[in-house]
Amino acid sequence: MLAGQLALTIAAVFTGAAVYINVAEQPARLQVDNRSLLAEWKPAYKRGYVMQASLAFVGGLFGLLAYLTALDWRWLLGAIVLLANWPYTLFVIAPTNNRLMKTAPDAATDETRRMLERWGALHAGRSALGLAATLIFLWAQR
């Protein structure tokens, strides 16, 4: 089923991007001074948000389509888990994002660094949701 294969592929791409942020991008940016850290995070976050939000939405839609086609609850579960990235981001991560976005890079302090370290831990939740959705979609493929 094409919709299911697309849902799985998009969930896997979402997961890869989210994990990349946690294991490569975030640790690398934490190696620089506070000002540079925030200055790099802001545009990277804006671009990453658009990419990951789109992937979660489209992958979730394909998961829903696969559910409607096959009437297999696993597709619905995978779609819900992948789409859960939206409320997770809006309600759990957004307060930290908003504070960081309001901070000018020249005003970055050690508190800014701690918020960005916390942001990395919060972002790991997105990686976990993506991985869970990918595994559920893989299970539904069987």
Side-chain angles (χ1 to χ4, degrees), residues 79-94:
I80 291 168
V81 171
L82 189 56
L83 289 169
N85 277 286
W86 277 72
Y88 178 78
T89 299
L90 293 173
F91 297 114
V92 177
I93 303 176

Side-chain angles (χ1 to χ4, degrees), residues 100-124:
L100 289 167
M101 284 297 184
K102 289 178 185 176
T103 304
D106 290 336
T109 64
D110 288 341
E111 174 61 23
T112 308
R113 176 173 294 276
R114 283 189 292 277
M115 281 193 303
L116 275 160
E117 289 169 350
R118 181 172 179 259
W119 178 89
L122 293 172
H123 189 273

